[in-house]
Structures are given as C-alpha cells and as structure tokens.
Amino acid sequence: MTSNNIDSIRLEGVSKTFGTNTVLAGIGFALSPGTVTGLVGENGAGKSTLIRMISGAIEPTTGRIEVNGESLPASTRAVIEAGISVIYQELTDVPDLPLLENVLLGNLESRWGFTRTRVNRKRALEGLRVVGLDHLSLDTPLRELTIAQRQLAEIARCLVRDAQVLVLDEPTSSLPEADVETLLHVIERLREQGMTILYVTHHLDELFRIADRLIVLRDGRMVAEGPVDEWDEHTLVRAMLAAELEQAYPWRTREIGEKVLEAEGIHAPGVSDARVTACAGEIVGLVGLAGAGRTELMRALCGVNPVSSGKIVVDGKAVKPGSIRHAMRAGLLYASEDRKGDGLILEGTVESNLIYGAYRDVSKFGVIDIRRVGALARDVVSRYRVRLHSTKQAIGELSGGNQQKVVVARVSERKPRVAFFDDPTRGVDVGAKAGIYEEIFQLAEAGAAVCVSSSDTDEVLAVADRVYVLSAGRIVAELRRDEFEREQILHLSSAAGVPVGGSTR
C-alpha cells in the first residue's frame, strides 16, 4: 500500500436535510490513520446518509467534510482519487467478469490504446496478496468465488486504487462465522499498515474485537463517542436505543399444538432426502454452515425451487411440490434472505410492496381499492414501527432494518399456517432485531408454525423450540431446546460427529 498525504478525514457541523426532514444534525468527528472507528446506531439513525456524504454521492446541507485539511471533492470519482473508498453491504462487483478485471474495475492501465497486461496482473496480485487471495487464478470468474472472497476482492480493489481511508458498511452481514474471522484479520493487518478505517456494523461483538473507538448515532445526532475500552455491550445498546435491552429476543414458553407441516423425502437443488415437521405455535430453526442447504430447503418447501421428489402435507392435505401458487394457497409463506433481490421491488412504494402478491385482499370487482391500501399500509407501519416519511415513499429509500420490517409484516399479516423466515435480521440493528423477533413470537403465539434460519447460529438457538442441523444438503440431526449445545451443533454442522442427544438422520 503506498502512502499519500491523507492524514485523516474530519467532519465539522455536518447536517443533511431532505425537504423538511432532517436526517443528520450537527455531526462532528475525525478519523485518524492506523485506527478503526466503529460507527453504530439503529436503522434509520443516519449511518447510510453519513456514508453517502463521505463517498461524495450527496453533499451536506450544512457543515464541512475535510480530507487532510482540504474540502471533500464533490464527485464520487474525485473522492476515490483523493484516497477514500467505500465498500457497501451489497457487493458492487461484476460476477461475469474474471477476478483480474474486478480488482482493476475502472482502473486498467493502458499505453497507446493497448492494455498493459503484465503490469495490470502484477498490480492486481499486489492487492490480492494483502487480503490473502493471491493464491487464486486471476482468470477465475468472480461468480465462482465465495461471498467472503468477493468481499476481500473488493478490499483489494480499494488497495490497488491507493486508498488511505476505507469505509466498510456491514461487511460481515452475509458471511458465515469462519469467514468473519478471516475478514477481521485482514482489517487488523490494514490498521497496522496505517489505514484509516470506519467500520459500520450491527454486530457489536466485532466492534469490541477490532475497534479503537466508537461513535454512536441516534435519530440523526451523534449522542456519544469514546475509546472502545470505555464501553461494554450493555452501555452501548443503551446509548443506541436510549433504553435498556436486557435480551434482544428472549425465548418464552408457548403452547405447542397439532402438527401443521409434514414434509418427507424432499429432494431438490441443494437438498437431499429431507424430512421436516412443524407444529402450531412452534418455532423450528434451521442451522448449518454456509452452503449447508438451509435456504434451499426453505425455498423447496415453499414452492420457490423445483422439487424432484417427496411429499408436503399441510393440515393433513397434500400440497403440490414445486408450486408457489399451491404453497401460498396452503398457507406456506416465505420471506427471502435477499430482501433487495427477491423480497422487495425497491422502486415501488411501501404500499405496493406490502400488498405484493395479495391483491385480492385489497380489491373489489378486480380493481384495487387505493383507499383501502393506504389505510392498511398506515396501520401496518404504525404497528411494526417502520420509520418513513410516507407510505407512498419508495421502499428503496428506507434503511435496511425498516425494509426488513416490511418484509416480515407482509408475511405476518397474511396469517400463514407456516411462515418461513430466512435470515430475517440480516443487516439490522439490535433494536430492530428485537422488534422483528417480537413479531415472530406473536405469530407463533397466534397459532402459526414458524421456521427460522440465520447465518448467526446463536440467534436461531435463542428463539427456537427445536432445530434441524444441516450439512451438505442433508439433515444430520434434530434437537429439542433442552438439548441445545452450541459447540455440539457446530460440530454436527461440519459433519464431523454425531449428537449426544436427539435424533440423527
């Protein structure tokens, strides 16, 4: 990594207003070389707006942002050239291009109109070496890499650009635990080399692992900052929420009813001979490492993915496998882990996203009742505490946590017999997690069977009555709550052993 004159980035009295809505007010702090600063706050606290201003995508309404004493450039390209790079939660790579071209995206060197192949390959390898990916072939199509490797390749791209300030927005939200460790090690190495890092995450344990200091935003204002050793998780959550939060999603006893879902011999892409049951009022968890088949099993049971063999029964009635229409009619509803790709139409309004796929409920004689839709949306966003300006606002303008609340609300409000939530709290803050799981608990208490999966094993164990452990597309164990042992479950999910209790498959 080469050095330039950037010593720090400084914000003084930065505010941002959209119309009459003030998103940020009076923000001021400085980032120093060789440090990791953690930025935390609830969804909607203003973190994303702040990142967009630092990247040059939007300008402050008032205040000043400086890079090494100079005003921040007014365009994203100029900001990158000034040494500031932002890596967003959603990857910005090009999967169909090879690794080489992704690392040098928009930055290929040429002479007299000809690409300097040898020079470019050397530059790419230098960046990949820092993040530990220099063993990969530069000609490998990016789509063949894991999510973690693609995340590291984006960091390599920033290093090749001579970045001195790196902003990471929820970099571990879609990574399995082992890959999180790899990424954190890379960040620690970059700090040792003098990189200035702003690390934005909802995973508080990561902050206590790598951050030197913390900045807390709440309702668009900076409410606290200080060295990380002055904080613990309890005081940090209290600063974020202005309230105590003893436990984000406390399990509670529920009356478990009759069996609602019975699925046997399910064979589908990524799933082999799965047998799953779920009872009314029960929360069933799916746990396993990345690629274990958790998402694939959910999608197969809900008709999203094709099923080559097996049977699915809901309330004693057979459901045609591999059919979304038949699954929905039977009350099998699915909330995707990829809210932006599968769960929402980002350009659509909050209202249109809430009624997506359920137009009969708000129609009369085949015509959608606009007033009814508006009333429904206002009621839902109030009960689910969705932060927005208007229900007619494009849902893509909402924070990730508020988008996720809409996804959860859409499933919950349709009174499912079996609700499938795939990584329902991905990329949301601790307060939003509590709200989302409160809705899931209430759904189960109302008599629905609920199936939950997450890349965070601890999260599933905190809420589930029973779990299925998956490995390589197969269910390898089924455990009741009184049999949960985290180390044993992780051992099983790696297909390295058999359970002490429960049943194996």
Side-chain angles (χ1 to χ4, degrees):
M1 187 191 317
T2 58
S3 176
N4 57 27
N5 294 324
I6 296 179
D7 296 320
S8 66
I9 184 166
R10 180 177 294 276
L11 288 77
E12 297 179 350
V14 170
S15 298
K16 184 62 183 178
T17 301
F18 295 98
T20 59
N21 182 46
T22 299
V23 179
L24 288 172
I27 305 298
F29 60 82
L31 305 179
S32 303
T35 63
V36 176
T37 301
L39 179 66
V40 296
E42 286 191 271
N43 291 105
K47 302 187 301 298
S48 296
T49 301
L50 187 58
I51 291 170
R52 291 173 66 199
M53 284 196 291
I54 292 174
S55 74
I58 58 175
E59 295 183 7
T61 304
T62 60
R64 179 178 173 85
I65 302 177
E66 297 180 351
V67 180
N68 193 34
E70 301 291 332
S71 294
L72 185 78
S75 71
T76 54
R77 182 72 184 181
V79 167
I80 291 171
E81 291 172 353
I84 301 173
S85 287
V86 179
I87 297 179
Y88 294 96
Q89 180 178 345
E90 307 298 332
L91 296 174
T92 57
D93 53 23
V94 185
D96 291 327
L97 291 180
L99 177 59
L100 170 68
E101 293 187 40
N102 271 279
V103 173
L104 300 179
L105 200 61
N107 194 21
L108 284 166
E109 284 196 16
S110 61
R111 177 180 289 177
W112 301 316
F114 295 96
T115 300
R116 304 180 69 187
T117 303
R118 184 176 298 178
V119 171
N120 284 322
R121 293 180 75 88
K122 181 180 179 181
R123 292 171 63 223
L125 280 172
E126 287 174 353
L128 291 169
R129 187 173 294 114
V130 176
V131 299
L133 294 184
D134 53 316
H135 63 285
L136 296 175
S137 168
L138 294 175
D139 301 317
T140 304
L142 203 74
R143 65 171 62 258
E144 295 182 9
L145 273 58
T146 66
I147 293 296
Q149 289 173 327
R150 289 169 63 177
Q151 189 83 265
L152 292 172
E154 290 219 12
I155 295 178
R157 184 197 305 163
C158 298
L159 301 181
V160 170
R161 292 171 175 168
D162 253 355
Q164 300 297 306
V165 178
L166 188 61
V167 180
L168 294 145
D169 182 16
E170 292 290 345
T172 63
S173 63
S174 58
L175 298 185
E177 294 174 48
D179 290 335
V180 170
E181 282 298 310
T182 300
L183 180 62
L184 295 183
H185 281 306
V186 169
I187 292 170
E188 288 171 335
R189 287 204 304 271
L190 293 175
R191 172 175 54 192
E192 291 169 1
Q193 295 174 24
M195 179 77 80
T196 302
I197 298 171
L198 181 64
Y199 192 87
V200 184
T201 185
H202 295 306
H203 296 287
L204 305 187
D205 56 324
E206 295 172 14
L207 295 173
F208 290 110
R209 158 80 181 274
I210 64 167
D212 299 292
R213 56 194 288 265
L214 301 176
I215 294 172
V216 183
L217 296 185
R218 187 173 70 235
D219 296 328
R221 298 181 179 274
M222 199 171 91
V223 296
E225 69 168 324
V228 71
D229 56 12
E230 294 181 357
W231 300 85
D232 58 30
E233 188 166 336
H234 181 81
T235 56
L236 185 55
V237 168
R238 187 168 56 194
M240 290 168 56
L241 307 181
E244 302 288 347
L245 191 65
E246 296 300 327
Q247 191 176 354
Y249 20 81
W251 180 87
R252 55 200 188 221
T253 303
R254 270 164 280 105
E255 182 178 344
I256 307 300
E258 296 294 321
K259 199 172 289 183
V260 175
L261 171 69
E262 296 177 86
E264 292 186 3
I266 301 299
H267 288 264
V271 179
S272 181
D273 196 25
R275 179 182 181 275
V276 175
T277 63
C279 297
E282 184 180 31
I283 297 178
V284 178
L286 300 181
V287 296
L289 303 178
R294 294 177 282 113
T295 292
E296 290 80 359
L297 178 55
M298 280 192 170
R299 292 171 68 89
L301 294 174
C302 293
V304 179
N305 286 357
V307 175
S308 56
S309 63
K311 68 175 183 177
I312 301 171
V313 176
V314 176
D315 289 329
K317 297 180 180 179
V319 179
K320 182 180 179 181
S323 168
I324 295 177
R325 184 162 58 91
H326 285 84
M328 290 182 67
R329 284 183 178 177
L332 300 173
L333 299 183
Y334 172 63
S336 171
E337 64 171 344
D338 183 4
R339 59 176 174 262
K340 292 188 176 180
D342 296 336
L344 299 168
I345 300 174
L346 298 179
E347 298 79 12
T349 64
V350 174
E351 292 180 358
S352 63
N353 274 276
L354 276 171
I355 65 170
Y356 182 59
Y359 302 116
R360 290 184 179 181
D361 297 339
V362 291
S363 298
K364 189 173 183 179
F365 304 120
V367 178
I368 293 177
D369 187 334
I370 301 300
R371 290 186 179 180
R372 189 174 175 185
V373 171
L376 170 69
R378 289 189 294 273
D379 174 58
V380 169
V381 300
S382 174
R383 286 189 287 113
Y384 286 79
R385 298 182 293 280
V386 180
R387 291 186 180 183
L388 40 61
H389 311 322
S390 164
T391 57
K392 299 186 184 302
Q393 182 180 358
I395 200 164
E397 297 176 1
L398 272 58
S399 68
N402 286 300
Q403 290 177 7
Q404 193 65 25
K405 287 179 183 178
V406 172
V407 172
V408 171
R410 187 173 61 205
V411 170
S412 300
E413 290 298 303
R414 294 176 189 178
K415 296 180 173 51
R417 290 300 292 140
V418 188
F420 293 83
F421 295 100
D422 194 0
D423 225 344
T425 62
R426 177 189 170 196
V428 304
D429 65 77
V430 65
K433 282 186 179 183
I436 287 170
Y437 275 111
E438 176 61 28
E439 297 301 333
I440 288 175
F441 284 134
Q442 289 186 15
L443 192 60
E445 288 165 355
V450 179
C451 188
V452 175
S453 175
S454 174
S455 52
D456 185 341
T457 300
D458 290 334
E459 190 171 298
V460 177
L461 299 183
V463 303
D465 302 295
R466 183 166 52 93
V467 298
Y468 290 102
V469 185
L470 286 90
S471 177
R474 290 182 174 274
I475 295 176
V476 296
E478 176 185 351
L479 302 170
R480 299 186 305 273
R481 186 169 186 82
D482 59 5
E483 299 171 316
F484 291 177
E485 291 183 15
R486 188 179 190 278
E487 290 187 8
Q488 177 205 27
I489 288 172
L490 293 177
H491 188 58
L492 288 166
S493 64
S494 65
V498 293
V500 175
S503 59
T504 59
R505 297 187 185 281

